[in-house]
Structures are given as structure tokens and as C-alpha cells.
Amino acid sequence: MTTAKELKPATAALLTKLRQTHRVELNPLTIRGHALQVLQVADLESLLKGKDPFAEVSEFPFWVKLWEASVVLADFIASQPPEENGRVLEIGAGLGLPGLAAAAAGHQVTLSDYEPHILDFQRVSAEASGVAQRVEHLLLDWLKPPKLPQFSTIIGAEILFREDFFAPLLSLFKKLLAPGGTIYLAHDIRRKSLSPFLTLAEPDFEIAMSRRRMQSDDEEHTVIISRLTAR
């Protein structure tokens, strides 16, 4: 396992830069037997200042938290065998745990988000986890997406928090999902925006849903995994 001291010079420089604005640490996680290290903000509570991610969605920095839904999605995608010539895109990846787990399981992965410093967190984690050779990083604005190839699998955890992004996100899905491809979305059952989004998506996608439960901080969380395939 790569440690912070063993990072390549360019990646170590990214870590040094991130430490100028955040107190960060590499935290070990094991997903389906794959040992990963995820760079996280250590003083999370002082950064969040008591914001409620289910009530103050416009003010909450969603990228910074390792969500229970991300852990559930990571476990799920790491259980799926890589497709020959298949490619996985994680959108709104934040810390990127599902994509990192997919890469550890042998998938070719693109982690995407909308701010460069978020991608820097992902780059450090990918190298520290020993999966950098299977991971690309993409700056992706859903409102102004660049021209991109299609992906056989698209994944996302806790990405449905603003209804004004629903239409652009559906447009993105239709452009980027390869024929016969699958989208997997994971959200806490309390996320009220999930149902309206799936209703909007239903004319274009077949939708199946399943529930997963996990224990975190002495609390049981229920996570909905939604599977979307083009009609």
C-alpha cells in the first residue's frame, strides 16, 4: 500500500497544496477485500458548521463528506466483474470512493467533479490506493459538458440535491451512456429529491430499485440503489 511518503513527486506536491487550505489525512478503507486509502478533511465538523445535508442542500459542500451511500455503492460496484472494453464514469464523485473501489476491482474508471481541488483529492487517493493506472480525472460541469466518449457504466452517490440540475443531468446521461449500458445511483432513503428525479427520468429509462442497509456511527442507514437502463 502506498503511503503519503511514497507518493510520486507531482502527487506529493498536490497533497502539500491541499494541506495549505485543509487539514487532511489519508484514511484506510477496505471494500470487498480491496485496501484503499481515501484522502479526507480531518476537521469536518468545523468546515460543515452544523449544516444539515437534507435541509440546507444549497449550502452544504457535498463533495467533502464520505457518504454512507458512497460506501454502499462502492461495495456494490466492486462486486461487479469488469466488462471487456467497458468504462465506468463516476459523476459528482467528490472523494471518489465508489470509483476507486471499481478501479481496485479491475474496472477502467473516470472520476469527475466540478472543481479542480476536488480532483486533486481524488488523484492523491488513487495513487495512495495503488489504482492510479486505472483512473482518469475529469472536470465536468453538467450545465456545460465537454464532448466526451460514452461509458458502459455510470455511477453516482448523493448527487440529486438540486432540482434545477435534474434536466441537465438527464441530458448528460442520454449523451454519455453507451448502448446497453447501465446507470447506478445511490442515495440515502431520506433524500426527498430522489423520487422526483426518477419520475422525470421514467420516460427515457427503465428503473429498478433496491435497498441496502449499513451501520455507521451507531446508526443504521438505509440506502436506495437505483438502476437505470435506456428504454
Side-chain angles (χ1 to χ4, degrees), residues 11-29:
T11 310
L14 284 181
L15 181 55
T16 298
K17 183 180 73 172
L18 291 170
R19 282 176 170 159
Q20 293 172 358
T21 54
H22 300 284
R23 188 159 66 86
V24 297
E25 57 188 21
L26 281 163
N27 291 322
L29 285 166

Side-chain angles (χ1 to χ4, degrees), residues 11-143:
T11 310
L14 284 181
L15 181 55
T16 298
K17 183 180 73 172
L18 291 170
R19 282 176 170 159
Q20 293 172 358
T21 54
H22 300 284
R23 188 159 66 86
V24 297
E25 57 188 21
L26 281 163
N27 291 322
L29 285 166
T30 301
I31 303 292
R32 294 273 171 171
H34 302 290
L36 305 172
Q37 290 198 60
V38 180
L39 187 66
Q40 295 178 251
V41 175
D43 53 341
L44 193 58
E45 290 307 316
S46 64
L47 178 65
L48 299 181
K49 297 177 181 178
K51 293 185 176 71
D52 183 347
F54 297 99
E56 301 169 89
V57 294
S58 63
E59 300 177 11
F60 195 93
F62 279 85
W63 71 271
V64 79
K65 180 175 169 58
L66 189 61
W67 298 96
E68 288 79 14
S70 294
V71 178
V72 169
L73 184 59
D75 179 81
F76 172 79
I77 198 66
S79 73
Q80 305 301 305
E83 297 180 33
E84 185 176 358
N85 300 319
R87 304 175 66 193
V88 176
L89 170 66
E90 183 175 0
I91 57 172
L95 300 177
L97 178 61
L100 295 171
H107 297 266
Q108 292 295 321
V109 176
T110 297
L111 294 175
S112 70
D113 219 302
Y114 68 101
E115 290 188 50
H117 74 277
I118 303 176
L119 303 190
D120 289 343
F121 271 78
Q122 299 167 5
R123 289 185 177 99
V124 173
S125 298
E127 189 170 314
S129 298
V131 298
Q133 73 278 10
R134 287 194 292 275
V135 177
E136 297 179 347
H137 304 270
L138 173 67
L139 200 63
L140 180 58
D141 182 344
W142 300 352
L143 303 180

